[in-house]
Amino acid sequence: MDGGERRQCDDERWMQEALRQAEQASRWGEVPVGAVVVRDGELVAAAHNWRETWRDPTAHAELVALREASRRLGTWRLADCDLFVTLEPCLMCAGAAMLARVRRIAFGAPDPKGGALISKLQALEAGRWNHHPIIAGGILADECGMILKEFFRGLRG
Amino acid sequence: MDGGERRQCDDERWMQEALRQAEQASRWGEVPVGAVVVRDGELVAAAHNWRETWRDPTAHAELVALREASRRLGTWRLADCDLFVTLEPCLMCAGAAMLARVRRIAFGAPDPKGGALISKLQALEAGRWNHHPIIAGGILADECGMILKEFFRGLRG
């Protein structure tokens, strides 16, 4: 494997972990979005969306995972960490990842309605803020989108 | 008093509450930003920035106050609530207020470096998202800015 293939392989491995979190969310009746925080090839934190169960507007998968990673690492600075999330982050979560100084944000499916990295807004575009995470989209996008489609189909059915 | 004067009077009253929270933050060695959530003329939640103490990148005053308000009201939908904060919200906090469906965001001092409502970005500008809180800035701006200036002067001294 060359460097690019290895990166792709790692990306898909971690997105699979995020997808497992999204599946857990479904079982709780939560919109199935999952996220993991990774450092040096090790899982630091994994979480899914908990908004309905916790009745907390801020309990998106990314925010819960970032807070858990900070708790485990004992610092709010997650500079060597990468965030993987099954759905393109919203404004709040894009902002939280930037505040936490994550190195890279990798997401699965784009979010045409709420996505704040590429779809509705390029909220973290270079030159605007002090810190700019690397952004990568489309990792296992079909699987990440499908779990959402199935969830909403189930709600309507 | 006419309606405008009454609004200004209420705004300043709640911003004073947020300023008291900011003063508390200073005592903990936290960057002094405070926030309150108000509904029907009643205080629902009050919080300040806890980032350093909690080692939590998401523990901005607004986010802590919104979560506390949701906990008290038993819902993530804060549709009848107004958020008052001493400093213009960042990207994360602007997004969180939108997700929580707050009716109005009123802030004190603008933030030329990190402000996501007017200063660096108009992240919630009308037409972009499903929900658009009313935005008001400059309430007790001098007092709200002064407490930050004094804090940073103290750090350098």
Side-chain angles (χ1 to χ4, degrees):
Chain A
M1 282 198 298
D2 66 16
E5 285 168 330
R6 194 181 313 276
R7 160 58 64 82
Q8 189 187 342
C9 187
D10 284 348
D11 278 356
E12 294 186 358
R13 173 188 165 203
W14 293 119
M15 197 57 78
Q16 287 289 2
E17 288 288 340
L19 270 165
R20 271 192 278 276
Q21 288 293 318
E23 285 161 15
Q24 292 286 336
S26 278
R27 278 180 220 133
W28 285 86
E30 298 281 355
V31 174
V33 180
V36 297
V37 175
V38 175
R39 187 177 70 164
D40 297 335
E42 303 268 346
L43 184 75
V44 177
H48 61 73
N49 174 33
W50 281 106
R51 186 179 65 168
E52 302 297 332
T53 310
W54 291 358
R55 299 175 185 178
D56 178 348
T58 76
H60 281 190
E62 301 95 309
L63 216 84
V64 179
L66 291 168
R67 288 172 58 209
E68 176 64 12
S70 290
R71 199 187 61 75
R72 289 209 184 156
L73 299 175
T75 173
W76 60 261
R77 291 175 185 82
L78 304 179
D80 302 321
C81 294
D82 297 339
L83 173 70
F84 291 81
V85 55
T86 57
L87 183 67
E88 182 184 354
C90 74
L91 205 58
M92 175 184 73
C93 293
M98 177 180 68
L99 291 174
R101 314 272 202 273
V102 304
R103 188 179 60 170
R104 184 166 177 262
I105 305 172
F107 66 88
D111 183 356
K113 279 191 183 171
L117 293 185
I118 56 162
S119 295
K120 287 284 280 191
L121 184 66
Q122 292 84 49
L124 302 189
E125 83 184 337
R128 207 191 307 265
W129 314 102
N130 284 337
H131 176 69
H132 299 97
I134 301 162
I135 291 168
I139 298 155
L140 302 182
D142 290 347
E143 294 90 325
C144 291
M146 191 58 69
I147 192 171
L148 284 159
K149 280 198 195 88
E150 281 170 8
F151 178 81
F152 288 112
R153 194 182 300 139
L155 282 190
R156 283 192 302 269
Chain B
M1 281 198 297
D2 66 18
E5 286 168 329
R6 194 181 313 276
R7 159 59 64 84
Q8 190 187 344
C9 187
D10 284 348
D11 279 356
E12 294 187 357
R13 172 187 166 206
W14 294 119
M15 197 58 78
Q16 287 288 1
E17 288 288 339
L19 269 165
R20 273 192 277 276
Q21 288 293 319
E23 284 161 16
Q24 293 285 338
S26 279
R27 279 179 220 131
W28 283 86
E30 298 281 356
V31 174
V33 179
V36 297
V37 175
V38 175
R39 188 175 70 164
D40 297 335
E42 302 269 346
L43 184 75
V44 177
H48 62 73
N49 174 34
W50 279 107
R51 187 179 65 168
E52 302 298 332
T53 310
W54 291 359
R55 299 176 185 178
D56 178 348
T58 75
H60 280 189
E62 301 94 311
L63 217 84
V64 179
L66 290 168
R67 289 173 57 208
E68 175 64 12
S70 290
R71 199 187 61 76
R72 291 209 183 155
L73 299 175
T75 174
W76 61 260
R77 291 175 184 84
L78 304 178
D80 302 321
C81 294
D82 297 338
L83 174 69
F84 291 81
V85 54
T86 57
L87 183 67
E88 183 185 353
C90 73
L91 205 58
M92 174 184 74
C93 293
M98 177 179 68
L99 291 173
R101 314 272 203 274
V102 303
R103 188 178 61 170
R104 183 166 178 263
I105 304 172
F107 66 89
D111 182 357
K113 279 191 184 172
L117 292 185
I118 56 162
S119 294
K120 288 283 280 192
L121 184 65
Q122 291 84 49
L124 302 189
E125 84 185 335
R128 206 190 308 264
W129 314 102
N130 284 337
H131 176 69
H132 298 97
I134 301 163
I135 291 168
I139 297 155
L140 303 182
D142 290 347
E143 293 90 324
C144 292
M146 190 58 70
I147 191 172
L148 283 159
K149 281 199 194 85
E150 281 171 6
F151 178 80
F152 288 112
R153 194 184 299 139
L155 282 189
R156 284 192 301 271

